[in-house]
Amino acid sequence: MSNGTTSPSLDLGVIGNASAAALIDRDASIVWMCAPRMDGDPIFCSLLGQGVDAGGEWSVTIRNKVASEQRYLRNTAILETVLSDRDGNRLRVTDFAPRFKASGRIFRPQTIVRLIEPLDGAPRVEMRLQPRYGYGAHAPETTRGTNHIRFLLDGQVMRLTTDAPVEFVERGTPFLVDRAYAFILGPDERLTQAPVHVARMFLEETENYWCEWVRYLSLPIDFQDVVIRSAITLKLCSHEETGGIVAALTTSIPEYGESGRTWDYRFCWLRDSYFTVKALNLLGATKTMEDYLGYVSNIAVDSPDGYLQPLFGLGLERRLDEAIVVALPGYRGYGPVRAGNAAYTQVQNDGYGSVILSIIQCFFDERLPVMGGEALFRRLEPLGDQAFRRWDQSDAGIWEFRTRNGVHTHSAMMCWAACDRLARIALKLGLDERAAHWRERAEHIRAAILARAWNEDMNSFTSAFGGADLDASLLLMPEIGFLPAKDPRFLSTLAACEKRLRFGNHLYRYRAPDDFGEPETAFTACTFWLIDALTRVGRKDDARAIFADVLRHRNHLGLLSEGLHVESGELWGNFPQTYSMVGLINAAMHLSRRWEDVL
C-alpha cells in the first residue's frame, strides 16, 4: 500500500530487533509500527486504513514506477526493496532495525534505519513521513533542525535524523537521489556521526549479527530457507527486555472479510509462547527460552496461588481492556479495529501446562549456563496445584469462545501435562516424594480424560467431555505425549478430524458455529498439526503434499498470517502469526531427510 492508492494486502515484510518491529509493503512503505513497544500505539497504522487526518505511513515513492522487487538479505532481518521507473531509473531501499553486540550487551534500540541509494540513472523520489498517535486519530506536533525532525507523539518524542534535505522530507517534495541518503527514526537523541556513516555501520554490524545467529541454528538438510526465515521471524516477535512474546505484530486483521473476528494479538499468550519457545529450542536457539523463563517467573511470583490468566502485556500487565478504535476503518475497511483483548478475563485452563512445557528443557539441557533447580521447581508447583484443581472445570478453551464454555479436552490434557512434567522434573532433581505425588495426579487426570472425552458412537475423542463436536487441538495428543500416535483411539480420532475438518490440504480449527457463526478460513496452525499427526502415523507422503501446498501459500517473502481462505488461497488474520511460523519449522524438521542419509 502506498499513499492509500492500492488496497492493502499481507504481502508484507517484517523488520525488527526484538525491541522494535515494523511491517513494510512491496512498494517500500512502512504501514505498521507500534511504539514504544510492539503492543503500543501504532505510529504507522495505514495497514488498517487512513486515520482522521489521513497519513499513518512512511512511504518512499519513485515517480512513474513500473516494478518493485523485494527480498531479505541472506540469513538476516534486513529487507531490500528495488523500485524501477519507466525510464530505467532504479532505486534501492534497505530497511532494518539495528541489532548487534556492543559493550558486552545486545544493542537493540527502538530505531528504524532506511538507506536509500541510486542503482541506475537518476531516480526521483517523494518521501512522506506521516506518523500518527491515538490509533490514527492525531497528527503529532513537529519541530525541525538542520538535519532532523522531531515528532511529539502523546508524550513520547521520536526524532528523524537524515542527510537528505529536511525541507523535502517535511513537505513531501520530490527530490533527486544522486547519492546514498540515510534516514534514522528513533529516540530523541543526537547522532555523533553523519547519518549515512551511522546507517552503513549499523547495517554491517546488523548483517553480521544475524548471519552469526543463523550459523548456530540446528537446521535440517531440507527446507533450510523455510526454517531460517521462520526462526528469524519468531525472534522478531519476542520482546527481549522482558522476555514476553507476542502472538502476532498486528491487531484487527480480520479472520476473513466482514466476519467481525478482529482481535488484538499483540500480547503474550502463555499457550502461543510455549509453541514458539519449543520451536526455537528445537533449533538450538535456547536464549528465547531463557528470557521467557524470566517472564513467566515474574508472573508466577505475582500469582502466589498459581492462578494464571491466559495472556499478559509485554510488561507483565494484567489488565488489557478491549476497546473499539473509531479513528481507523480497518483492514480493507473491515472493522471493527480493536485495542486490547478481553480474553484476559477468561478462564482458560490450558495455560498451566503451557508454562511448564515451555521451560521444562531448562531442567535437562546441560548447555544452559544456569539450569533449573529445586527453587524453580517449587515456584512451578502452585501451577500444578491449579492444574489439578481445574482439569475437569468448564473454561473458554483454546479457541477462546466468548459465550460458550465447557470442559474442553485440550485444556484437560494440558492440565495432565502440567502434572506429568512436574513428576519428570522432580525425578530429575531427585525429589522422589514429589515425583510420586505428581505422577499420581497425572495418572488420575489421564484416566478420567480417556473415559470422559471419548465418544463411543463416533469412535473418536471430542472437543469437550460428553460432547459430539471435533476440533483440531485433538491432533496434539501425540505432540503433548498424552497418547502414542499409533494408538487405535488416536488413529480413529485423526480419521474423524480429517473427515469433518479437512478441506483439500487445509484444516479448519472447528466447523460448529461459534459466537460469530461458522468459521470461514482454515486455521494455518491446525494444518500444521495435521501434518505433524500424519507424519507420526507414517503417512509422510500425505504430509509432504500438504506441506508443499502450504509453502505455495506463503507470501513473497516466506511469511504466513493466521489463516487461509480455502477458496481464494488468500492470507487473512493477524500477521505474522507465530503459530504459523512455528508450524513451518516443525513440519520442515519432521519431513526433512536426515543428514546421515545424504552426506
Side-chain angles (χ1 to χ4, degrees):
M1 175 177 162
S2 291
N3 299 324
T5 59
T6 58
S7 178
S9 79
L10 297 182
D11 284 338
L12 304 170
V14 182
I15 61 170
N17 59 7
S19 177
L23 302 182
I24 303 174
D25 73 9
R26 285 188 127 160
D27 292 331
S29 289
I30 297 181
V31 297
W32 186 259
M33 179 182 172
C34 299
R37 296 188 323 209
M38 290 178 272
D39 58 357
D41 191 356
I43 61 171
F44 299 118
C45 55
S46 63
L47 181 63
L48 298 183
Q50 301 291 332
V52 172
D53 299 317
E57 68 179 355
W58 186 359
S59 63
V60 179
T61 306
I62 188 170
R63 286 295 186 90
N64 302 314
K65 180 182 73 71
V66 294
S68 68
E69 304 168 46
Q70 199 169 53
R71 69 181 183 104
Y72 281 106
L73 298 191
R74 181 174 178 267
N75 295 350
T76 76
I78 300 167
L79 187 64
E80 181 182 281
T81 309
V82 175
L83 304 175
S84 304
D85 69 18
R86 67 186 181 194
D87 297 319
N89 301 305
R90 297 171 68 239
L91 177 82
R92 179 169 61 209
V93 182
T94 303
D95 290 307
F96 66 99
R99 181 179 173 87
F100 50 87
K101 295 178 182 178
S103 303
R105 63 184 179 89
I106 296 293
F107 178 67
R108 42 171 170 74
Q110 292 182 340
T111 297
I112 298 297
V113 178
R114 316 200 77 179
L115 186 63
I116 299 180
E117 304 167 279
L119 294 180
D120 293 302
R124 296 183 72 218
V125 302
E126 179 181 318
M127 176 173 286
R128 293 194 176 273
L129 174 55
Q130 300 173 314
R132 291 292 181 267
Y133 68 90
Y135 284 82
H138 306 292
E141 294 182 14
T142 63
T143 59
R144 56 170 287 187
T146 306
N147 299 106
H148 72 267
I149 306 172
R150 297 169 73 249
F151 301 94
L152 181 59
L153 297 151
D154 193 25
Q156 65 172 322
V157 179
M158 300 193 75
R159 176 192 291 240
L160 173 77
T161 305
T162 181
D163 39 20
V166 173
E167 174 80 12
F168 296 162
V169 176
E170 187 176 40
R171 296 182 178 277
T173 304
F175 63 96
L176 179 67
V177 180
D178 55 357
R179 57 186 174 87
Y181 290 113
F183 303 82
I184 302 174
L185 179 68
D188 187 23
E189 300 170 354
R190 297 183 61 183
L191 298 182
T192 58
Q193 295 177 296
V196 74
H197 177 83
V198 172
R200 290 195 185 280
M201 185 271 287
F202 281 0
L203 176 61
E204 180 180 0
E205 293 288 346
T206 300
E207 183 173 10
N208 290 340
Y209 169 84
W210 285 114
C211 288
E212 187 75 1
W213 188 79
V214 167
R215 182 181 177 189
Y216 289 101
L217 295 179
S218 300
L219 297 174
I221 195 166
D222 298 317
F223 313 114
Q224 290 191 6
D225 58 332
V226 174
V227 173
I228 289 169
R229 183 53 46 208
S230 300
I232 290 174
T233 304
L234 291 181
K235 185 67 176 175
L236 300 186
C237 291
S238 67
H239 184 65
E240 202 165 68
E241 182 178 354
T242 64
I245 304 167
V246 297
L249 292 173
T250 59
T251 178
S252 304
I253 307 297
E255 290 182 19
Y256 181 68
E258 295 181 301
S259 64
R261 303 172 189 264
T262 53
W263 312 117
D264 193 344
Y265 277 11
R266 300 169 300 154
F267 305 110
C268 184
W269 269 260
L270 302 178
R271 175 192 315 118
D272 299 54
S273 298
Y274 152 61
F275 286 103
T276 297
V277 167
K278 188 174 186 293
L280 290 175
N281 285 350
L282 186 64
L283 302 177
T286 58
K287 183 63 167 60
T288 300
M289 176 186 66
E290 296 175 64
D291 294 338
Y292 185 63
L293 173 58
Y295 183 85
V296 296
S297 293
N298 276 299
I299 290 172
V301 167
D302 202 31
S303 307
D305 64 350
Y307 173 73
L308 295 176
Q309 64 187 57
L311 64 147
F312 296 82
L314 290 176
L316 303 173
E317 294 85 359
R318 291 171 178 264
R319 288 188 61 93
L320 305 168
D321 294 331
E322 186 175 304
I324 301 299
V325 174
V326 297
L328 293 173
Y331 179 77
R332 299 187 184 176
Y334 297 127
V337 172
R338 305 176 199 261
N341 197 309
Y344 85 90
T345 65
Q346 292 183 349
V347 173
Q348 296 179 29
N349 292 328
D350 60 331
Y352 307 99
S354 297
V355 169
I356 295 171
L357 284 171
S358 67
I359 61 179
I360 185 176
Q361 184 168 331
C362 76
F363 290 94
F364 293 87
D365 194 335
E366 295 285 350
R367 296 173 298 173
L368 301 179
V370 179
M371 294 180 64
E374 184 174 348
L376 176 58
F377 170 75
R378 297 294 184 183
R379 287 202 298 272
L380 295 177
E381 284 197 292
L383 306 186
D385 290 333
Q386 284 284 350
F388 189 69
R389 188 177 302 132
R390 293 173 175 275
W391 69 268
D392 62 348
Q393 300 300 302
S394 180
D395 75 346
I398 184 174
W399 307 121
E400 301 183 343
F401 296 119
R402 296 201 165 197
T403 61
R404 189 178 76 204
N405 280 8
V407 181
H408 291 99
T409 303
H410 177 264
S411 296
M413 283 196 303
M414 293 300 284
C415 289
W416 165 83
C419 298
D420 175 76
R421 294 333 191 258
L422 284 173
R424 298 187 196 188
I425 294 168
L427 192 63
K428 171 69 165 59
L429 296 175
L431 304 173
D432 294 343
E433 184 274 329
R434 301 311 296 162
H437 170 80
W438 289 111
R439 178 56 53 210
E440 180 182 4
R441 287 187 162 189
E443 290 304 324
H444 174 80
I445 297 173
R446 184 175 186 275
I449 294 172
L450 293 174
R452 297 174 62 183
W454 178 259
N455 186 313
E456 191 68 38
D457 293 336
M458 295 173 59
N459 195 31
S460 173
F461 290 102
T462 56
S463 299
F465 288 8
D469 291 328
L470 300 176
D471 82 273
S473 68
L474 296 169
L475 300 182
L476 292 171
M477 286 182 166
E479 163 76 15
I480 296 168
F482 185 78
L483 274 183
K486 298 297 180 68
D487 187 293
R489 291 165 294 187
F490 178 72
L491 291 173
S492 59
T493 299
L494 169 59
C497 287
E498 285 195 88
K499 181 178 180 180
R500 291 203 184 182
L501 304 179
R502 182 175 174 179
F503 288 76
N505 286 325
H506 304 278
L507 203 74
Y508 285 79
R509 52 189 170 179
Y510 51 83
R511 292 296 284 168
D514 60 13
D515 315 331
F516 294 83
E518 288 191 14
E520 298 180 76
T521 51
F523 200 73
T524 301
C526 299
T527 302
F528 285 118
W529 296 347
L530 175 62
I531 291 172
D532 177 72
L534 294 175
T535 302
R536 290 175 185 269
V537 303
R539 293 169 56 188
K540 281 199 169 183
D541 287 343
D542 288 347
R544 288 192 181 96
I546 296 172
F547 187 46
D549 198 358
V550 174
L551 291 181
R552 286 192 292 270
H553 284 92
R554 295 174 298 161
N555 76 5
H556 64 296
L557 294 169
L559 307 181
L560 285 170
S561 65
E562 177 186 40
L564 180 82
H565 189 247
V566 175
E567 285 78 14
S568 67
E570 188 175 11
L571 298 179
W572 285 87
N574 282 307
F575 178 92
Q577 176 76 5
T578 54
Y579 254 154
S580 301
M581 306 310 294
V582 163
L584 286 169
I585 292 173
N586 290 336
M589 298 294 279
H590 293 155
L591 294 174
S592 174
R593 296 167 295 171
R594 298 180 302 173
W595 284 92
E596 54 266 33
D597 292 338
V598 178
L599 303 181

Coordinates of all heavy atoms in Angstrom, one line a residue, residues 410-437:
H410 N -8.8 -30.5 25.3 CA -7.4 -29.9 25.2 C -7.0 -29.3 26.5 O -5.8 -29.5 27.0 CB -7.3 -28.9 24.1 CG -6.0 -28.3 24.0 ND1 -5.7 -27.1 24.6 CD2 -4.8 -28.7 23.4 CE1 -4.4 -26.8 24.3 NE2 -3.9 -27.8 23.6
S411 N -7.8 -28.6 27.2 CA -7.5 -27.9 28.4 C -7.2 -29.0 29.5 O -6.2 -28.9 30.3 CB -8.6 -27.0 28.9 OG -8.8 -26.0 28.1
A412 N -8.0 -30.1 29.5 CA -7.7 -31.2 30.5 C -6.4 -31.8 30.2 O -5.6 -32.2 31.1 CB -8.9 -32.2 30.4
M413 N -6.1 -32.0 28.9 CA -4.8 -32.7 28.5 C -3.6 -31.8 29.0 O -2.6 -32.3 29.4 CB -4.7 -32.9 27.0 CG -5.5 -34.1 26.5 SD -5.0 -34.6 24.9 CE -5.3 -33.1 23.9
M414 N -3.8 -30.5 28.8 CA -2.7 -29.6 29.2 C -2.5 -29.6 30.8 O -1.4 -29.4 31.3 CB -2.9 -28.2 28.7 CG -2.8 -28.1 27.2 SD -1.2 -28.7 26.5 CE -0.2 -27.2 26.9
C415 N -3.6 -29.8 31.5 CA -3.5 -29.9 33.0 C -2.8 -31.2 33.3 O -2.0 -31.3 34.2 CB -4.9 -29.9 33.6 SG -5.7 -28.2 33.6
W416 N -3.1 -32.3 32.6 CA -2.4 -33.5 32.7 C -0.9 -33.3 32.4 O -0.1 -33.8 33.2 CB -2.9 -34.6 31.8 CG -2.0 -35.7 31.6 CD1 -1.9 -36.8 32.5 CD2 -1.0 -35.9 30.6 NE1 -0.9 -37.7 32.1 CE2 -0.3 -37.1 30.9 CE3 -0.6 -35.2 29.5 CZ2 0.7 -37.6 30.2 CZ3 0.5 -35.7 28.8 CH2 1.1 -36.9 29.1
A417 N -0.6 -32.6 31.4 CA 0.8 -32.3 31.0 C 1.5 -31.6 32.1 O 2.7 -31.8 32.4 CB 0.9 -31.5 29.7
A418 N 0.9 -30.6 32.8 CA 1.5 -29.9 33.9 C 1.9 -30.8 35.0 O 3.1 -30.8 35.5 CB 0.5 -28.8 34.4
C419 N 1.0 -31.7 35.4 CA 1.3 -32.7 36.4 C 2.4 -33.7 36.0 O 3.3 -34.1 36.7 CB 0.1 -33.4 36.9 SG -1.2 -32.3 37.6
D420 N 2.2 -34.2 34.7 CA 3.2 -35.2 34.2 C 4.6 -34.6 34.2 O 5.6 -35.3 34.6 CB 2.7 -35.6 32.8 CG 3.7 -36.5 32.1 OD1 3.7 -37.7 32.5 OD2 4.5 -36.0 31.2
R421 N 4.8 -33.4 33.7 CA 6.1 -32.8 33.6 C 6.7 -32.4 34.9 O 7.9 -32.6 35.1 CB 6.1 -31.6 32.7 CG 5.8 -31.8 31.2 CD 6.1 -33.1 30.6 NE 6.0 -33.1 29.2 CZ 4.9 -33.7 28.5 NH1 3.9 -34.2 29.2 NH2 4.9 -33.7 27.2
L422 N 5.8 -32.0 35.9 CA 6.3 -31.8 37.2 C 6.9 -33.1 37.8 O 7.9 -33.1 38.5 CB 5.2 -31.2 38.1 CG 4.9 -29.8 37.9 CD1 3.7 -29.4 38.7 CD2 6.1 -28.9 38.2
A423 N 6.2 -34.2 37.5 CA 6.7 -35.5 38.0 C 8.1 -35.8 37.4 O 9.0 -36.3 38.1 CB 5.7 -36.6 37.7
R424 N 8.3 -35.5 36.1 CA 9.5 -35.8 35.4 C 10.6 -34.9 36.0 O 11.8 -35.3 36.2 CB 9.4 -35.6 33.9 CG 8.4 -36.5 33.3 CD 8.4 -36.3 31.7 NE 7.3 -36.9 31.1 CZ 7.1 -37.0 29.8 NH1 8.1 -36.6 29.0 NH2 6.0 -37.5 29.3
I425 N 10.3 -33.6 36.2 CA 11.3 -32.7 36.8 C 11.7 -33.1 38.2 O 12.9 -33.1 38.5 CB 10.7 -31.3 36.8 CG1 10.5 -30.7 35.4 CG2 11.7 -30.3 37.5 CD1 9.7 -29.5 35.3
A426 N 10.7 -33.5 39.0 CA 11.0 -33.9 40.4 C 11.9 -35.1 40.4 O 12.9 -35.2 41.2 CB 9.7 -34.2 41.1
L427 N 11.7 -36.1 39.5 CA 12.5 -37.2 39.4 C 13.9 -36.9 39.0 O 14.9 -37.4 39.5 CB 11.9 -38.2 38.3 CG 12.5 -39.6 38.3 CD1 12.3 -40.3 39.6 CD2 11.9 -40.4 37.1
K428 N 14.1 -35.9 38.0 CA 15.4 -35.5 37.6 C 16.2 -34.8 38.8 O 17.4 -35.0 38.9 CB 15.2 -34.5 36.5 CG 16.5 -33.7 36.1 CD 17.5 -34.7 35.4 CE 18.6 -33.9 34.7 NZ 19.4 -33.0 35.5
L429 N 15.4 -34.1 39.6 CA 16.1 -33.4 40.8 C 16.3 -34.3 42.0 O 16.8 -33.9 43.0 CB 15.2 -32.2 41.2 CG 15.1 -31.1 40.1 CD1 14.1 -30.0 40.6 CD2 16.4 -30.5 39.7
G430 N 15.8 -35.6 41.9 CA 16.0 -36.5 43.0 C 15.0 -36.3 44.1 O 15.2 -36.7 45.2
L431 N 13.8 -35.6 43.8 CA 12.8 -35.4 44.8 C 11.7 -36.5 44.6 O 10.7 -36.3 44.0 CB 12.2 -34.0 44.5 CG 13.2 -32.8 44.6 CD1 12.5 -31.5 44.1 CD2 13.8 -32.7 45.9
D432 N 12.0 -37.7 45.1 CA 11.2 -38.8 44.9 C 9.8 -38.7 45.4 O 8.8 -39.1 44.7 CB 11.9 -40.1 45.5 CG 13.2 -40.4 44.8 OD1 13.4 -39.9 43.7 OD2 14.0 -41.2 45.4
E433 N 9.6 -38.1 46.6 CA 8.3 -38.0 47.1 C 7.4 -37.1 46.3 O 6.2 -37.4 46.0 CB 8.4 -37.4 48.5 CG 7.0 -37.3 49.3 CD 6.3 -36.0 49.0 OE1 7.0 -35.0 48.7 OE2 5.0 -36.0 49.0
R434 N 8.0 -35.9 45.8 CA 7.3 -35.0 44.9 C 7.0 -35.7 43.5 O 5.9 -35.5 42.9 CB 8.0 -33.7 44.7 CG 8.3 -33.0 46.0 CD 7.1 -32.8 46.9 NE 6.0 -32.0 46.2 CZ 4.7 -32.0 46.6 NH1 4.3 -32.8 47.6 NH2 3.8 -31.3 46.0
A435 N 7.9 -36.5 43.1 CA 7.7 -37.2 41.8 C 6.5 -38.1 41.9 O 5.7 -38.2 41.0 CB 9.0 -37.9 41.4
A436 N 6.4 -38.9 43.0 CA 5.3 -39.8 43.2 C 4.0 -39.0 43.3 O 3.0 -39.5 42.8 CB 5.6 -40.6 44.4
H437 N 4.0 -37.9 44.0 CA 2.9 -37.1 44.2 C 2.3 -36.6 42.8 O 1.1 -36.8 42.6 CB 3.2 -35.9 45.1 CG 2.2 -34.8 45.1 ND1 1.0 -34.9 45.9 CD2 2.0 -33.6 44.5 CE1 0.3 -33.8 45.8 NE2 0.9 -33.0 44.9

